[in-house]
Amino acid sequence: MIIRFELNGQSTELDVRGDERAVDLLRERLGLTGTKEGCGTGECGACAVLLDGRARLSCLTLAAQLDGRSLTTIEGLGTAKAPHALQAAFAEHGAVQCGFCSPGMIVAAADLLERSPDPSREEIREALSGNLCRCTGYGRILTAVERAAAERGEAPLPSRPQSGGEA
C-alpha cells in the first residue's frame, strides 16, 4: 500500500506492508534510529513520536496510519548544531545517562510544551508518566523540561537543578 505523509517537514511517499509498524518503518527502512523500541508494547514510551503534533507511540502505530499525516521524530526536532530547547536542556542539566529513553522523553515533553507553555512540575510529571527511565531518575529530567519552558520565554526559570533521585 502506498502512503504519503510529511516526515520531519519533508513530503514522503512509501510502499508499506499492512502489518508494518511505524517504529520499524522509521528505524529499519528510513534509518531514523533516534526513535527507540524499548518494550514494543506501549508501556515504556521510548518510541514516542509526534503525529500531527501529538505524542504517539510508534510501536503501537501501523505505518499505514501515517497516510496523510505529519510525523516528527527526535531527528526532526533539532540538529546537533541547532538543538531544540529540550534537547539542549537535557544535555545541560544531565538529564541523560544511557540516553535510551531520552528521545521519547523529549518528544513527550515537546508535546506538553506545545499544549502548555508554562507547565507546573506536576503537569510535567504527568505528561512524562508514560516514559520510563531506568538510569538517571526523574529529577533532572523534570528540571530540564522546566528550563526548556523557561528558555522559550513563557515560564519562569527553575530555581536550581534538582538531584537525579526524584521519582
Side-chain angles (χ1 to χ4, degrees), residues 111-123:
D111 176 19
L112 169 66
L113 295 185
E114 285 302 313
R115 292 181 288 110
S116 178
D118 182 15
S120 68
R121 200 164 179 92
E122 189 56 35
E123 288 172 310

Side-chain angles (χ1 to χ4, degrees), residues 87-95 147 151:
Q87 293 167 320
F90 268 60
E92 180 182 339
H93 293 280
R147 181 65 188 198
E151 289 190 1

Side-chain angles (χ1 to χ4, degrees), residues 7-68:
L7 175 60
N8 295 332
Q10 301 292 317
S11 294
T12 303
E13 181 177 306
L14 293 168
D15 188 6
V16 300
R17 295 185 326 270
D19 64 347
E20 188 171 11
R21 299 178 311 160
V23 67
D24 299 326
L25 174 69
L26 293 170
R27 291 185 55 81
E28 296 170 14
R29 292 183 53 198
L30 299 174
L32 296 172
T33 57
T35 300
K36 308 298 184 200
E37 182 172 6
C39 65
T41 59
E43 295 181 20
C44 74
C47 67
V49 294
L50 294 173
L51 188 57
D52 296 332
R54 298 299 310 266
R56 296 291 181 253
L57 300 174
S58 61
C59 74
L60 299 180
T61 303
L62 292 174
Q65 292 175 295
L66 304 177
D67 191 40

